[in-house]
Amino acid sequence: QEVNPRTYIGTGKVKEAQALIDDINKQLEKRGEGHCCTVVFDAELYPGQQKALENAFNKKVIENDFLGSDQEDVVKVVDRTALILDIFAQHAKTREGKLQVDLALHEYRKPRLTRMWTHLERQSGSGGVGLRGPGETQLEVDKRILRDRIIVLKNKIDDVQKQRDLHRRGRKKGGLPVLALVGYTNAGKSTLLNCLTKAGILAENILFATLDPTTRRVKLPGYKTHPEVLLTDTVGFIQKLPTQLVAAFRATLEEVKEADVLVHIVDVSNPCWRKQEVSVTNVLEDIGAGDKPVVRVFNKLDLLDPEDAEMLRYEAACAEDFSVGISSLTGEGLSDFVAVVEDALSGLLVPVELELPYSCGQEVNLLHEVGSIEVIDYREKGTYVLGRVPRSVAMKLDKYSVAEDDEATIDKENESDEIDWVSLGRGRHEKKTH
């Protein structure tokens, strides 16, 4: 069905909504609890559609007073983006979060400025008629102020992004892999981070409780991968994520793009969890993180029936990708989660065979911290190490590699065994007999 270009919904639905508002107002009047003042649309409305709907719902107020904004019984129309931005504004606590929400709000309000200052319709020009123009309208003044404010906010957010880039470069120098917790809002990302690291992050059953990314160091017991990793909690995604949020929160979303492995938390207690999983995957592709290794985590198994929880564990075990079922609240399945994360991280390591001089004790310590050592032997010339390390560390210690020497020796032997038919034809070599 096509969308009505004027009111988004048809005239019949507008009348149904008005009748529903009247019924709610009658019930509220009987209980003495005020009146219905807001209509929320689960869609993005154009400014003209929003204005037309407000005019339709406030006909009586407009008839009594053209400046209906001063009346108490005015019904406001709020679309999906405005509702999400309002929730973000309530949860923004840090300077970075407030800047990003403020920018998104200003971008949203820019095309929706209305003539709120009718008593200042135009700035009058002095000097009499014909000497100066009528001046700019108050609406144009508001637009100019809004544009200037948006420019200032973008510059401040660019400074925040530079700071985050410095932090990320510092983490890369450490050689520890970065895991980013992503997923639909209220999926349990902060709860999992608290369970693994005791970070004490706010984790409540509310939408968008986390706005600012938080990174903690985690020790993963295992021999396949790094002894320690960095775990980052990020802002929750949502279906049809508003474009203003993607633009304003680009500094935060950079944490997702720069991560080595994405841990996709899925709230399987939600009946629509498969749709939510698809929505998160689409958002990851939109921001350029769709090619990252992903670990699927079926969270909140404790809220399901035992049979359904067992079926999801079986589905995760039989999946070709990295999947696991856990409960971040009770700690169920966390050992399996660690094992799956290790398997995902093992793909980031490259095999090395090194012989380090005894003066390189710092490099040996680095290998123990960021890699997985399989064999270590103290020989006459130095310390022999066989294991798997990050590619950056392997390139840094490439001059101590002994695997290349062995391969080169083997290649030379193979070359000596091959028959050089061109030289043989010219009589430079004797014919080999086998």
Side-chain angles (χ1 to χ4, degrees):
Q1 188 176 358
E2 294 183 1
V3 174
N4 190 313
R6 183 172 178 272
T7 56
Y8 187 79
I9 56 177
T11 55
K13 289 295 180 181
V14 173
K15 293 179 180 178
E16 287 184 21
Q18 183 63 57
L20 183 60
I21 292 173
D22 295 338
D23 293 340
I24 294 175
N25 286 332
K26 290 179 182 178
Q27 296 176 8
L28 293 176
E29 287 178 2
K30 291 180 181 179
R31 294 181 290 185
E33 297 180 358
H35 64 283
C36 177
C37 60
T38 307
V39 177
V40 181
F41 278 73
D42 187 15
E44 289 192 39
L45 300 177
Y46 291 111
Q49 294 172 340
Q50 193 171 352
K51 189 65 178 177
L53 288 168
E54 288 182 351
N55 292 338
F57 294 144
N58 297 298
K59 280 185 178 180
K60 295 181 181 179
V61 176
I62 294 175
E63 290 175 358
N64 296 332
D65 184 3
F66 181 76
L67 300 178
S69 59
D70 295 334
Q71 301 293 328
E72 296 182 355
D73 297 338
V74 171
V75 177
K76 294 291 184 182
V77 175
V78 177
D79 64 354
R80 177 187 181 88
T81 303
L83 180 62
I84 295 174
L85 290 176
D86 184 65
I87 297 173
F88 270 58
Q90 294 177 23
H91 296 166
K93 304 298 181 184
T94 64
R95 175 177 176 271
E96 178 184 352
K98 291 178 180 179
L99 283 175
Q100 294 176 131
V101 172
D102 200 10
L103 175 61
L105 283 170
H106 279 74
E107 292 283 1
Y108 176 78
R109 290 170 181 162
K110 183 168 62 174
R112 290 171 172 80
L113 289 175
T114 55
R115 295 178 62 191
M116 300 174 61
W117 310 97
T118 52
H119 61 287
L120 298 174
E121 188 170 352
R122 284 184 184 270
Q123 296 176 346
S124 59
S126 60
V129 179
L131 298 180
R132 293 186 62 182
E136 59 183 350
T137 63
Q138 184 64 34
L139 180 61
E140 292 170 344
V141 174
D142 293 341
K143 285 183 177 180
R144 189 179 72 251
I145 294 174
L146 203 62
R147 284 196 301 268
D148 295 342
R149 178 62 179 166
I150 288 174
I151 293 173
V152 172
L153 288 172
K154 286 183 176 179
N155 292 334
K156 290 183 178 180
I157 290 178
D158 288 340
D159 295 337
V160 171
Q161 190 169 6
K162 292 177 183 178
Q163 295 175 3
R164 290 208 167 272
D165 290 340
L166 289 175
H167 292 316
R168 278 194 293 269
R169 283 200 291 269
R171 291 197 292 263
K172 284 184 178 180
K173 288 181 180 178
L176 296 179
V178 180
L179 279 70
L181 298 176
V182 299
Y184 213 79
T185 179
N186 202 29
K189 299 181 293 297
S190 299
T191 305
L192 179 60
L193 182 65
N194 289 336
C195 183
L196 292 173
T197 65
K198 311 298 181 186
I201 306 241
L202 175 65
E204 295 184 3
N205 189 20
I206 55 178
L207 299 177
F208 304 110
T210 302
L211 292 184
D212 302 315
T214 304
T215 303
R216 293 291 185 272
R217 179 175 291 200
V218 185
K219 290 186 177 181
L220 296 180
Y223 61 90
K224 298 179 183 178
T225 182
H226 312 260
E228 290 183 335
V229 298
L230 296 175
L231 200 60
T232 301
D233 186 18
T234 61
V235 63
F237 296 156
I238 196 169
Q239 187 180 6
K240 295 183 291 186
L241 191 66
T243 55
Q244 291 94 342
L245 285 181
V246 176
F249 280 77
R250 70 182 190 277
T252 301
L253 296 176
E254 284 290 330
E255 299 289 342
V256 179
K257 293 175 61 177
E258 297 296 330
D260 297 310
V261 175
L262 304 180
V263 180
H264 184 183
I265 312 296
V266 183
D267 179 10
V268 293
S269 65
N270 192 308
C272 302
W273 68 269
R274 294 193 184 273
K275 291 183 179 180
Q276 292 179 354
E277 184 180 6
V278 173
S279 300
V280 173
T281 303
N282 293 336
V283 173
L284 290 175
E285 292 178 355
D286 292 340
I287 65 176
D291 57 343
K292 299 283 184 180
V294 178
V295 176
R296 297 169 64 215
V297 179
F298 297 147
N299 193 23
K300 301 187 181 181
L301 292 181
D302 55 305
L303 300 180
L304 297 179
D305 295 333
E307 295 181 359
D308 295 337
E310 190 63 30
M311 286 295 296
L312 282 175
R313 291 192 195 94
Y314 180 77
E315 179 181 344
C318 297
E320 295 181 357
D321 56 358
F322 305 110
S323 301
V324 64
I326 69 166
S327 172
S328 56
L329 187 62
T330 63
E332 176 189 358
L334 286 183
S335 58
D336 297 334
F337 166 74
V338 172
V340 172
V341 169
E342 287 177 352
D343 292 338
L345 287 174
S346 62
L348 303 176
L349 304 178
V350 295
V352 293
E353 188 176 0
L354 308 172
E355 191 172 76
L356 301 168
Y358 287 114
S359 60
C360 298
Q362 188 175 359
E363 284 76 4
V364 176
N365 185 44
L366 177 64
L367 295 176
H368 282 287
E369 287 182 354
V370 303
S372 175
I373 306 302
E374 299 175 4
V375 177
I376 183 167
D377 185 21
Y378 299 98
R379 298 180 176 178
E380 181 180 356
K381 296 182 179 180
T383 306
Y384 173 79
V385 177
L386 178 65
R388 299 172 65 86
V389 297
R391 187 176 298 275
S392 59
V393 177
M395 294 176 63
K396 180 180 178 182
L397 303 177
D398 183 60
K399 57 184 177 180
Y400 302 115
S401 177
V402 295
E404 292 184 358
D405 297 339
D406 296 341
E407 292 177 0
T409 304
I410 295 173
D411 292 340
K412 288 181 180 179
E413 292 178 356
N414 292 335
E415 290 177 1
S416 62
D417 291 339
E418 293 179 359
I419 300 175
D420 190 351
W421 294 104
V422 176
S423 300
L424 185 63
R426 294 174 180 174
R428 297 179 183 175
H429 291 275
E430 296 181 358
K431 183 177 180 182
K432 291 185 179 182
T433 58
H434 295 280

